[in-house]
Amino acid sequence: MTSAGALVSVRNVSKRFGATDALTEVSVEFHAGVVHGLVGENGAGKSTLAGIVLGVHAPDSGEVCLDGSPLRLDSPADGAAAGLVGVAQELSLLPAMSVVDNVVLGTEEHVGPFVKRRADRARVKALIAEHGLNVPIDARVGSLSVADQQKVEILRALGRRSRLVVLDEPTARLASHEALELRRTVRELAARGVAVVYVSHFLDEVLSVSDTVTVMRDGHVVRTSPASAENHESLVEGMTGRRIGDAFPAKPPAPAPGAPVVLQVDGLSSTRSDTRVIEFFDVSFSIRAGEIVGLVGLVGAGRSEVAHAVYGASRAGAGSVHVNGDRLSGSITNALAAGVSLIPESRRQQGLVAQRSVRDNTTLPHLRHFRGRLGIRTRQEERAAAVACDRVGVRRPSLTSRVATLSGGNQQKVLFARAVMGQPSLLVADEPTRGVDVGSKRSIYETVNDMAEAGCAVLMVSSELEEVIGTCHRVLVMRQGRIVAEFTGDEIVEADLLAAAFGQTSRSAADTDGPV
């Protein structure tokens, strides 16, 4: 059903990738001045639909119309020229260039052949002031945190003066106050007549910011409704086709006080060599076998930096890390040999080799176990990869399928399959369910619980307080590079976690919206 008033109309669009039907007879409208939420499990077709609207993909059948007229887009550049731009979940920035250069790329102001640098800087400063997305404009993008890189990507889209903006998981890397500011920016864009397509796995966030919500499942549109007619439960049921019980499985029993200490961190400190800024200071804590410990705080508090130092991906300047009583040397090789596995914050940039197979990505750190006199024993490697992938529920056409062809949730599960294969003593999970749908999240939580019940110690870094409360036995709160609070069992309450993260002594922080 379409109407003449739609800015962009998608009419009976189908798209197939190999044997996979990504979209089947999809029709949906996006109106000027309306925030349109798009929800569904990984693999439901959301990103494919957004890609067709933006010119990333061409439909196999059906059409896209702009202002009622058929529109042919052969590339994202064609889409941008028509005023249709997007901010992808996986960022597409040039790391060696500055923030200013990335934001104005392709739209620089010129006098003849010369770029007007002052004018470009003024444009970027005005965008930052207008939308509250603070980021150092002269910094090299590759030196920024993932959260700041996300803000640069959003600023670039906002600077195009677009007619339609697709935001794919826009707050996944943002702190609570930044996420709230972005949602205000989204509403401001709509008030100016921009059509906003808002794709997110944070369902409560979608409901709070959207005027209209489209639910997708298995490449089909289930329904399009006013956001006011939906709630969290109705969206989950529409996305999955079934009612889901509690979002979190029951926690495994907390380890006894006498359980062996797997991870011991003492006085860990680190300062960035390029800026001399302290990343974290005098961090000390321990985790026992079978214990799941959460590490939370605002973006920039030092959470991920501590996790990577424990794993050996970055070297601390002072302090020590012991696993099962043995001191780690600060190298990844040493950590792997000691039984440490890492689920990194960004699966694409830090975890997976996207163009290699599911099997290769699963077995990559464990190839020494499959060496034979004539090379890798391929059959043994495939059997081990299949067992690990089946254990964590990786849905894949085959073990030889490129991991890039899997949905986001299944890509994340490949990282867990890799970890499970190593039978680690310590799992370091940095944002373990980022960009993962509600169904896959529960499967990942079950995997974490299984590992804990088998005696694995788990350090979980997460920006989702609900996730930390639902999964962890104990939570450590970081602020400005230090551990400032610790909560155990029934003490793990959202208001108190927020208060500690913001340096408040009252529960007023509970009014802050979004993830920490």
Side-chain angles (χ1 to χ4, degrees), residues 180-218:
L180 182 59
E181 190 62 45
L182 177 64
R183 293 198 287 278
R184 290 179 183 142
T185 295
V186 168
R187 294 307 318 174
E188 290 169 4
L189 283 174
R192 294 173 194 160
V194 176
V196 181
V197 182
Y198 199 91
V199 184
S200 179
H201 289 304
F202 297 117
L203 301 185
D204 292 333
E205 179 178 283
V206 171
L207 292 171
S208 72
V209 77
S210 301
D211 302 298
T212 303
V213 180
T214 291
V215 181
M216 298 189 68
R217 182 170 74 242
D218 298 332

Side-chain angles (χ1 to χ4, degrees), residues 311 323-324 333-343 359 361-370 381 383-389 391-392 413-428 447 451 454-457:
Y311 184 62
V323 173
N324 292 322
T333 302
N334 182 224
L336 287 170
V340 184
S341 288
L342 173 73
I343 306 296
R359 179 197 65 195
N361 275 276
T362 303
T363 62
L364 186 60
H366 313 297
L367 290 178
R368 65 187 183 280
H369 298 305
F370 309 112
E381 180 192 11
R383 283 195 298 269
V387 169
C389 287
R391 181 176 169 185
V392 302
K413 289 179 185 177
V414 169
L415 292 176
F416 276 91
R418 176 192 296 171
V420 164
M421 179 178 286
Q423 297 180 325
S425 298
L426 171 67
L427 174 68
V428 180
T447 297
M451 295 177 75
C456 181

Side-chain angles (χ1 to χ4, degrees), residues 418-495:
R418 176 192 296 171
V420 164
M421 179 178 286
Q423 297 180 325
S425 298
L426 171 67
L427 174 68
V428 180
D430 192 358
E431 304 290 357
T433 63
R434 170 165 287 162
V436 172
D437 62 80
V438 289
S440 295
K441 279 187 176 183
R442 181 173 174 112
S443 178
I444 287 173
Y445 299 144
E446 289 171 347
T447 297
V448 171
N449 284 357
D450 289 344
M451 295 177 75
E453 288 179 331
C456 181
V458 179
L459 175 63
M460 179 185 291
V461 178
S462 180
S463 297
E464 295 186 52
L465 292 188
E466 184 182 49
E467 176 170 87
V468 170
I469 294 167
T471 59
C472 295
H473 298 117
R474 186 159 51 97
V475 178
L476 308 174
V477 182
M478 293 192 68
R479 186 174 71 250
Q480 298 178 341
R482 296 173 180 264
I483 292 177
V484 295
E486 178 177 334
F487 301 94
T488 304
D490 294 337
E491 298 174 350
I492 306 173
V493 178
E494 182 173 357

